[in-house]
Amino acid sequence: MGALFTKDTQAIFWNNNTSAIQRMLDYDYTISRPKPSVAAIVAPTSNNKFEKFFYGPDEIMVPVFRSTGEAAKAFPKADVLLNFASFRTAYDVTMEAIAIKGQFRSVMVTAEGIPERLARKMNQSARDAGVTVIGPATVGGIAPGAFKIANVGGTIENIVNSKLHRAGSCGLVTRSGGLFNELSNIIAINADGISEGVAIGGDRFVGSVFIDNLLRMEGNPEVKYMILLGEVGGTEEYKVIEAVKSGKIKKPIIAWCIGTIAKHFSSGVQFGHAGASANADAETAAAKNKAMAEAGIFVPESFNDLPNKIKEVYTKLKAGGIITDIAEPELKVVPTVRRAKEFICTISDDRGDEATYAGYPISSVATPDTGFGIGDVISLLWFKKRYPKWATEYIETVIKTVADHGPAVSGAHNAKVTARAGKDVISSLVTGLLTIGPRFGGAIDDAARYFKYANDNGMSPAEFIDYMKREGKTISGIGHRIKSVRNPDLRVSGLKKFAAENFPATPLLDYALEVEKLTTSKKDNLILNVDGTIGILMVDMWRALGYSESDIDGFIDAGALNAFFVVGRSIGFIGHVLDEKRLGMPMYRHPMDDILYNVEKAEEL
């Protein structure tokens, strides 16, 4: 049996406790972990997609999810859940994590005061699932030089002073988190530090008890001896005694139960933890210390004598060659002054010898011999993925299809008027682009949105038409001013032909064509138009590429479909601007006879 944590261990952090997360990442940087120990954050009430943290002098982005299930799906190798929920929520969070089969090896529960009935049920469910629960009411644990939970060990300075930056020889198990840190320091002064340590928690019913952790450490070859710090109350120490007597535990154990002062009180007293109260003579610290000593466990005369006992056992093991010298690793220094970045870029990088598009050097995508086209560049820079050829060719087909629709549309008109006013190409282009929106170009977005909504919700074509009528909306993507069933739009025919020959499947287009059958039965120009076909096939493309429905909804809401229209139509607008410049057209003034003037004298107030 190996250690509970390794240098590859990654955690999902439930609740955005930024200071605890930053401490973990500072520890990671100090010990030169190959990757940060926090894979993701679960924050059910947050709308953020990520949080920024420092990793040494630089910043990293940690993704934020609304549920543990979403985070686990995104990071299937993250096998630790750090449950920082309140005592009202901690039980539900832990049970949800346990139910995700095969994901979590361990769950840490920091909350104190979970109702005991729920705590017992939670702990039993974890045992049945083979999940190690640390807590409730704990600071967690640490595998020095590999992984640490949240605030355990304190500051980086204290961690280094306590030799928690690299593995020692001792396996440490305590109830108390505060005394865990204190004992780590004592071990560092009198021995070579700890190899693995766990504070099991102060509540009466905790998940993994002393014997669970000590048996694991017994099977960990890096642990040469163990230290157990118990306390008054409970009988868990007697399980350790039986394991020593039966030979299940052969490694030396140093142990002490705090709370021996309780015998001087005239009545029962509870110390700091919920479980630190003796309900019988056997639960007193003195009785447990006596029983452990009789079993052959190394028990000091008092807590003050514990450092001497640690030094004694360590020295003996080292003299016997069981413990060898440990080389001190080189540590990175966490900067004391760090500055947050103002901008984030996840699509391109202009540092180094050559700029990249989503990790691809520009030279590897720019020239024809690379096999990359404009569709590839868009897929990299817009969606951070390399799309297959059929998808990039569809993107290029869309751009070519929407490039221009003549000089009379509002965008082209604006661009031409601005060019004739003597403005430059960029200014003229921008005036045209600013007209793109819900009435010009927006039908692509809305067609994708409403057809997808109807299809996702199982509406029949007739129900969809009735739904749009009740909403007081025309069906975006349906209808053409000139084209009809008898005079089809060849652009739509071309797009449908391309999809039929290249798309793996077109379920939304098939649905839209069923809607078209009903709309054209009423009026033959209520056909699926080019905007609708483009938007609907974009949804089919993304589905075929494996995107989730929420991802696709996100693309639509972000305006990605309008963006394709913007790129394509920019080609046409620039063409009209250059046409005006080439023709040397004069300043445009709209003819007065094309304006209805209805100007009355203003009322005097």
Side-chain angles (χ1 to χ4, degrees):
M1 188 183 298
L4 192 59
F5 311 120
T6 72
K7 213 160 189 173
D8 292 323
T9 298
Q10 280 197 298
I12 292 172
F13 207 106
W14 205 100
N15 214 348
N16 188 14
N17 189 319
T18 55
S19 61
I21 294 171
Q22 187 61 66
R23 280 190 169 183
M24 287 181 68
L25 296 175
D26 285 346
Y27 182 74
D28 296 342
Y29 179 78
T30 300
I31 65 172
S32 299
R33 260 184 66 110
K35 57 185 176 182
S37 58
V38 181
I41 298 167
V42 178
T45 60
S46 174
N47 291 319
N48 294 349
K49 293 185 176 179
F50 64 88
E51 293 288 349
K52 291 196 302 175
F53 294 91
F54 284 105
Y55 194 70
D58 299 317
E59 284 185 300
I60 61 171
M61 298 163 60
V62 178
V64 176
F65 297 90
R66 301 294 290 270
S67 73
T68 305
E70 290 177 4
K73 184 178 180 181
F75 294 93
K77 292 185 178 179
D79 61 359
V80 177
L81 180 76
L82 304 184
N83 182 354
F84 270 69
S86 70
F87 74 93
R88 291 178 293 273
T89 311
Y91 167 80
D92 292 330
V93 170
T94 303
M95 294 299 283
E96 180 186 4
I98 293 169
I100 304 174
K101 304 296 184 184
Q103 177 80 30
F104 298 108
R105 291 181 62 233
S106 60
V107 177
M108 186 278 292
V109 184
T110 189
E112 182 178 356
I114 295 176
E116 293 183 354
R117 174 181 59 84
L118 296 180
R120 290 197 299 271
K121 183 178 178 182
M122 176 181 77
N123 296 337
Q124 187 57 54
S125 297
R127 286 185 180 278
D128 293 343
V131 175
T132 298
V133 169
I134 303 172
T138 181
V139 298
I142 187 170
F147 176 87
K148 94 176 186 85
I149 292 175
N151 296 311
V152 69
T155 64
I156 289 294
E157 293 78 10
N158 188 69
I159 283 171
V160 174
N161 289 337
S162 300
K163 298 180 181 177
L164 295 173
H165 60 284
R166 51 91 177 129
S169 304
C170 176
L172 173 62
V173 185
T174 74
R175 261 193 176 273
S176 167
L179 284 174
F180 180 93
N181 290 351
E182 176 64 24
L183 208 50
S184 296
N185 190 48
I186 292 172
I187 296 167
I189 293 170
N190 295 279
D192 64 359
I194 69 173
S195 177
E196 180 183 350
V198 175
I200 66 171
D203 276 5
R204 189 164 185 84
F205 297 101
V206 292
S208 63
V209 293
F210 292 137
I211 189 62
D212 298 322
N213 291 284
L214 292 174
L215 286 174
R216 183 183 66 254
M217 293 174 184
E218 174 72 20
N220 182 354
E222 301 304 315
V223 174
K224 307 302 182 184
Y225 68 105
M226 294 169 281
I227 295 178
L228 167 63
L229 185 68
E231 64 183 19
V232 61
T235 59
E236 290 300 330
E237 290 85 353
Y238 290 102
K239 295 178 183 177
V240 177
I241 292 170
E242 290 305 313
V244 171
K245 287 180 177 179
S246 67
K248 286 184 178 180
I249 295 180
K250 297 181 176 63
K251 293 177 181 178
I253 298 179
I254 304 167
W256 178 255
C257 282
I258 58 175
T260 53
I261 196 173
K263 64 185 179 182
H264 298 291
F265 290 92
S266 59
S267 59
V269 60
Q270 178 182 319
F271 290 81
H273 296 150
S277 177
N279 297 314
D281 289 342
E283 294 187 24
T284 63
K288 290 192 283 188
N289 285 333
K290 182 174 182 293
M292 287 190 294
E294 290 172 350
I297 295 172
F298 294 94
V299 179
E301 292 297 321
S302 67
F303 182 81
N304 290 338
D305 188 45
L306 184 58
N308 294 329
K309 185 62 68 174
I310 293 170
K311 190 170 186 177
E312 173 192 327
V313 172
Y314 169 75
T315 302
K316 184 177 179 181
L317 292 172
K318 191 171 184 184
I322 296 173
I323 294 176
T324 57
D325 290 333
I326 296 173
E328 288 295 331
E330 185 177 341
L331 299 179
K332 292 181 179 178
V333 178
V334 175
T336 55
V337 178
R338 296 183 281 197
R339 184 174 67 86
K341 304 292 192 295
E342 296 294 338
F343 285 92
I344 299 171
C345 181
T346 68
I347 61 170
S348 61
D349 191 341
D350 55 357
R351 299 169 298 178
D353 293 336
E354 184 179 3
T356 63
Y357 296 161
Y360 285 82
I362 293 177
S363 62
S364 70
V365 305
T367 55
D369 60 290
T370 63
F372 283 71
I374 291 296
D376 295 283
V377 174
I378 287 176
S379 73
L380 292 174
L381 292 179
W382 290 14
F383 307 108
K384 302 198 299 183
K385 293 187 184 299
R386 176 83 191 275
Y387 283 2
K389 191 170 181 60
W390 67 266
T392 60
E393 286 185 345
Y394 175 66
I395 290 173
E396 292 177 9
T397 300
V398 168
I399 291 171
K400 290 184 286 187
T401 301
V402 303
D404 190 37
H405 198 184
V409 297
S410 58
H413 177 83
N414 269 24
K416 291 167 71 69
V417 169
T418 307
R420 290 176 65 167
K423 300 292 284 186
D424 59 277
V425 171
I426 296 174
S427 301
S428 303
L429 171 63
V430 168
T431 62
L433 293 177
L434 289 174
T435 64
I436 295 175
R439 295 184 178 181
F440 177 51
I444 299 177
D445 275 330
D446 282 346
R449 178 178 294 109
Y450 286 115
F451 273 96
K452 182 178 183 300
Y453 174 81
N455 190 228
D456 288 350
N457 286 276
M459 295 183 192
S460 69
E463 289 170 338
F464 174 44
I465 293 170
D466 289 341
Y467 167 78
M468 295 299 286
K469 187 182 296 184
R470 290 195 305 272
E471 292 292 309
K473 294 184 173 70
T474 57
I475 302 176
S476 296
I478 292 288
H480 198 284
R481 190 165 54 88
I482 300 171
K483 300 296 180 179
S484 65
V485 174
R486 291 185 298 276
N487 179 27
D489 188 335
L490 295 182
R491 297 174 301 171
V492 173
S493 300
L495 289 168
K496 291 194 293 187
K497 182 175 183 291
F498 180 89
E501 294 174 352
N502 295 280
F503 277 44
T506 56
L508 194 60
L509 176 63
D510 297 341
Y511 177 80
L513 292 175
E514 292 300 313
V515 173
E516 182 189 51
K517 288 179 182 178
L518 296 180
T519 55
T520 53
S521 68
K522 299 178 181 178
K523 198 172 182 182
D524 68 356
N525 71 330
L526 294 180
I527 56 172
L528 183 64
N529 60 36
V530 68
D531 289 351
T533 306
I534 289 171
I536 287 162
L537 281 177
M538 279 291 179
V539 174
D540 280 334
M541 179 190 76
W542 283 322
R543 282 175 170 169
L545 292 173
Y547 287 100
S548 68
E549 296 303 317
S550 61
D551 287 338
I552 297 171
D553 290 338
F555 292 152
I556 296 170
D557 292 340
L561 298 176
N562 244 7
F564 287 109
F565 187 81
V566 167
V567 170
R569 196 51 63 97
S570 292
I571 299 171
F573 290 166
I574 292 172
H576 287 295
V577 171
L578 295 178
D579 198 34
E580 295 295 327
K581 300 290 187 184
R582 182 169 50 248
L583 295 171
M585 297 300 291
M587 176 80 171
Y588 176 79
R589 179 180 175 85
H590 201 74
M592 296 172 64
D593 61 4
D594 193 40
I595 300 171
L596 172 62
Y597 291 97
N598 184 21
V599 183
E600 298 179 358
K601 187 174 182 179
E603 178 183 357
E604 295 185 15
L605 298 179

